[in-house]
Amino acid sequence: TAGAHLGVLKLKDLQQGQELSGVVTSIASNGCFVNVSAERLGFVPSRRLGFRHIDYLDNCVKHGERVTVRVSEVSAAKLLLTMDSSLDAFQGVPETLWLPGFVRDSAAYGVFVAVVPPGGARTREGLVHASQMPDLSIPLIPGQEVRVRIIAVSAVTGLSLSMLQCGDASPPPDRTPRHKLDEFVPGQELAGVVTSVVPYGCFVDVGAVKNGLLHASRLGLRPIDRHELAIKPGENVSVRVVRSGEGMLSLARESALSEFQNVPGGEWLQGFVTGFVDNGCLVAAVPPGGGR
């Protein structure tokens, strides 16, 4: 970026969302620098270039190319830009219209999808909440192509997306629901069958409209055990409900608190450290007589 001729636009005068015209001055492995005639060069991260995952960065932008960008973040120390589609491109899109996209990242509460607006070429990232996913037992991976619908457009929260049919609150056709999620209560004991094993745990069919997540930390295994070896798809398991609602059903296979009732205060139990917090450490304890 050395030697680039900078302009007179003051960073303090720039506003988030402001549209600017600039020239690509250099391309890095994680994005490109753009001269928008400001006090410093702006940087467009690769994920904000608005291209599909199959595109290579050096094939998408060229040195010296004139581009249109928008300000995504500005301070005295940095100027971050974006070239992805603006929210305006998604305003008025019917909820019934399916749009192409691909998974960018996943979180405990859903997945982030880069979606292409109608008639557009550049993408915009939005969130598909877990409650808007057809089957949580089928993991989505970055780069996977999906179809989504626009259910809300907000200047604050961005794009809210759905992978469910419009107005369809039913589960996928290959599932036979027996109970709604709000029918389950914390502590309830259930019998289920493992449907799939994922890096962070496994999914269990307990007869609900969606499979429940049995997180690896709730499997009740010793630290030397690998959960993907200790539990298999098709295995019958006994679980307890940890939390239900908001499109999620969290399960546990570790020992219930009742197994620790009436344990004398002076009795030592075996355990192992599972994590640290500001005020101490977390320990997985084995109840008297063994078990999880």
Side-chain angles (χ1 to χ4, degrees):
T1 61
H5 179 70
L6 302 180
V8 294
L9 282 177
K10 302 293 185 182
L11 294 180
K12 63 181 181 65
D13 295 330
L14 298 179
Q15 298 180 347
Q16 188 176 14
Q18 183 176 346
E19 192 169 283
L20 301 168
S21 178
V23 176
V24 176
T25 62
S26 62
I27 300 172
S29 60
N30 58 339
C32 67
F33 290 90
V34 178
N35 187 346
V36 292
S37 299
E39 294 176 296
R40 64 164 53 240
L41 293 177
F43 182 68
V44 184
S46 55
R47 68 180 297 165
R48 295 301 183 188
L49 283 165
F51 291 102
R52 299 171 186 261
H53 66 288
I54 58 174
D55 295 321
Y56 290 97
L57 184 59
D58 54 0
N59 290 334
C60 297
V61 290
K62 300 294 184 183
H63 184 276
E65 180 182 354
R66 179 162 291 278
V67 294
T68 299
V69 295
R70 287 177 295 107
V71 177
S72 61
E73 186 178 342
V74 61
S75 67
K78 62 182 176 181
L79 174 59
L80 292 181
L81 308 171
T82 179
M83 291 168 61
D84 55 12
S85 294
S86 69
L87 287 174
D88 293 342
F90 297 92
Q91 295 286 359
V93 175
E95 285 193 14
T96 55
L97 180 64
W98 289 101
L99 299 174
F102 63 90
V103 177
R104 278 205 186 275
D105 201 0
S106 61
Y109 46 84
V111 293
F112 292 94
V113 173
V115 59
V116 183
R122 296 185 181 274
T123 62
R124 174 80 184 215
E125 189 174 279
L127 172 66
V128 181
H129 191 269
S131 62
Q132 295 296 322
M133 297 169 62
D135 193 343
L136 295 178
S137 66
I138 303 178
L140 298 174
I141 59 175
Q144 182 174 342
E145 294 185 352
V146 294
R147 292 194 316 155
V148 296
R149 298 184 299 106
I150 308 296
I151 56 176
V153 181
S154 168
V156 178
T157 59
L159 290 179
S160 296
L161 309 173
S162 175
M163 295 173 64
L164 298 175
Q165 292 284 348
C166 186
D168 182 14
S170 62
D174 60 336
R175 297 291 306 279
T176 303
R178 285 168 285 174
H179 300 284
K180 297 179 180 180
L181 296 183
D182 57 10
E183 296 179 25
F184 296 91
V185 295
Q188 182 179 353
E189 295 187 356
L190 303 167
V193 178
V194 177
T195 60
S196 62
V197 180
V198 291
Y200 46 87
C202 66
F203 287 92
V204 180
D205 184 357
V206 292
V209 293
K210 288 186 177 181
N211 288 340
L213 173 62
L214 180 55
H215 194 271
S217 64
R218 297 284 191 177
L219 279 166
L221 300 175
R222 309 293 182 104
I224 59 173
D225 294 323
R226 293 175 55 189
H227 76 273
E228 67 269 24
L229 299 179
I231 195 164
K232 300 293 183 183
E235 182 178 344
N236 293 314
V237 293
S238 296
V239 294
R240 291 181 298 105
V241 176
V242 176
R243 182 167 60 89
S244 63
E246 298 181 356
M248 297 286 289
L249 177 61
S250 298
L251 307 172
R253 201 169 67 142
E254 58 196 359
S255 296
L257 287 176
S258 58
E259 297 188 43
F260 295 92
Q261 296 286 355
N262 303 320
V263 175
E267 182 174 349
W268 290 96
L269 300 177
Q270 292 183 329
F272 57 89
V273 177
T274 60
F276 294 90
V277 292
D278 292 340
N279 56 339
C281 65
L282 303 176
V283 175
V286 181
R292 297 187 179 277

